[in-house]
Amino acid sequence: MFQKFTDDMQVAKAVAARIAEHLQNKPESLICIAGGDTPKRTMQEMIRMHREGEADFSKAYFVGLDEWVGLGRETHGSCVQTLYDGLFEPLLLRDEQICFFDGKAADLKAECARIDAFIAERGGIDFILLGVGMNGHIGFNEPGIEPDQDAHIVPLDSVTKEVMSKYFETDLPLTQGISLGMRQILAAREIIVIATGAKKADIMHQVATEAPTAEIPATLLKPVQAATFYLDEAAGARV
């Protein structure tokens, strides 16, 4: 299902309102928020709601969606830096409320198992907020991904390598990501995918018109009843 909004601020307010509703119904909800640029307005709205007493995050849990292999919080633009500085710290979350991928872990398979266990212990993800890559990726589930897996290590697609420089202050020789798998994502109780800006119009046209295929991972969400795509006018111009 696709919903269109006037601009990215209206998208952010709608997403934050859904999160607040989850917390009202289940204060200990497990929430996953994508890193990157697209969710930043939503994160700002979540912080506003926290500060004005409109949402209570004190009992909620958060799990990371993905991370660039080799990066940690000291690298501006890493997923962990974006989420901690842009959301977790302003929400005054405690360490035990957060489980995030360590992109610098010596044993990445063990890191995947740690994330899988955190999700399983809490009965799955209650709410997940996703963005869509220029190649249709979801997290680091790149084109051609095997949909039936949990957290895993992924070689970065050529399109991802081309656009990743926008996140970082210097060029970084990144070749892998670590990510929740599509099985975990598709099982979430509510899934919202946001796309904003004219640069996302072409990929959202493909997502809307193509049959579900692992070559465009975002299309795999279309048959899922719990999934909704939130688009601003620019991103949804061809949908």
Side-chain angles (χ1 to χ4, degrees):
M1 182 170 63
F2 295 84
Q3 291 189 23
K4 293 185 184 180
F5 298 83
T6 305
D7 53 33
D8 60 347
M9 193 65 237
Q10 295 306 310
V11 171
K13 287 182 177 180
V15 174
R18 293 298 306 144
I19 294 171
E21 188 168 334
H22 275 271
L23 294 173
Q24 262 193 331
N25 296 330
K26 183 182 177 183
E28 69 280 12
S29 290
L30 178 57
I31 298 169
C32 180
I33 306 291
D37 294 331
T38 306
K40 285 184 176 178
R41 277 195 180 271
T42 298
M43 292 192 282
Q44 292 166 2
E45 183 66 8
M46 291 168 69
I47 294 165
R48 183 198 66 77
M49 294 177 78
H50 158 71
R51 290 174 175 166
E52 296 183 11
E54 296 177 19
D56 181 4
F57 294 90
S58 64
K59 296 179 181 177
Y61 291 92
F62 287 81
V63 66
L65 174 63
D66 55 8
E67 186 57 276
W68 308 87
V69 169
L71 300 191
R73 191 174 173 186
E74 71 280 359
T75 301
H76 183 83
S78 67
C79 299
V80 67
Q81 180 272 323
T82 300
L83 268 298
Y84 266 85
D85 293 356
L87 184 65
F88 297 158
E89 287 200 342
L91 290 183
L92 306 178
L93 300 182
R94 304 176 306 279
D95 289 344
E96 61 267 24
Q97 292 178 265
I98 305 165
C99 186
F100 213 96
F101 286 108
D102 179 2
K104 300 177 78 173
D107 187 340
L108 293 174
K109 287 186 178 180
E111 192 65 9
C112 290
R114 182 178 69 87
I115 298 287
D116 290 344
F118 186 85
I119 294 172
E121 286 165 7
R122 282 152 190 83
I125 297 168
D126 292 293
F127 179 92
I128 188 166
L129 177 63
L130 304 165
V132 179
M134 299 297 288
N135 59 2
H137 75 199
I138 295 291
F140 279 133
N141 291 284
E142 300 280 27
I145 201 71
E146 169 54 56
D148 189 25
Q149 56 185 334
D150 294 331
H152 58 290
I153 303 111
V154 192
L156 298 180
D157 182 72
S158 58
V159 174
T160 302
K161 290 179 181 177
E162 286 174 15
V163 302
M164 69 183 185
S165 59
K166 70 178 182 178
Y167 296 113
F168 307 114
E169 296 167 343
T170 59
D171 288 335
L172 297 170
L174 305 176
T175 61
Q176 291 181 304
I178 186 169
S179 179
L180 297 187
M182 290 303 296
R183 178 161 58 192
Q184 291 160 316
I185 292 169
L186 295 169
R189 293 176 182 87
E190 182 171 7
I191 305 163
I192 292 181
V193 186
I194 56 176
T196 57
K199 66 183 181 297
K200 294 293 175 71
D202 287 347
I203 187 60
M204 290 314 304
H205 172 72
Q206 291 183 54
V207 171
T209 57
E210 296 282 347
T213 171
E215 296 306 315
I216 309 174
T219 62
L220 299 174
L221 296 163
K222 290 201 299 178
V224 180
Q225 189 173 2
T228 310
F229 292 81
Y230 282 20
L231 315 176
D232 69 0
E233 287 185 355
R238 300 178 62 201
V239 173

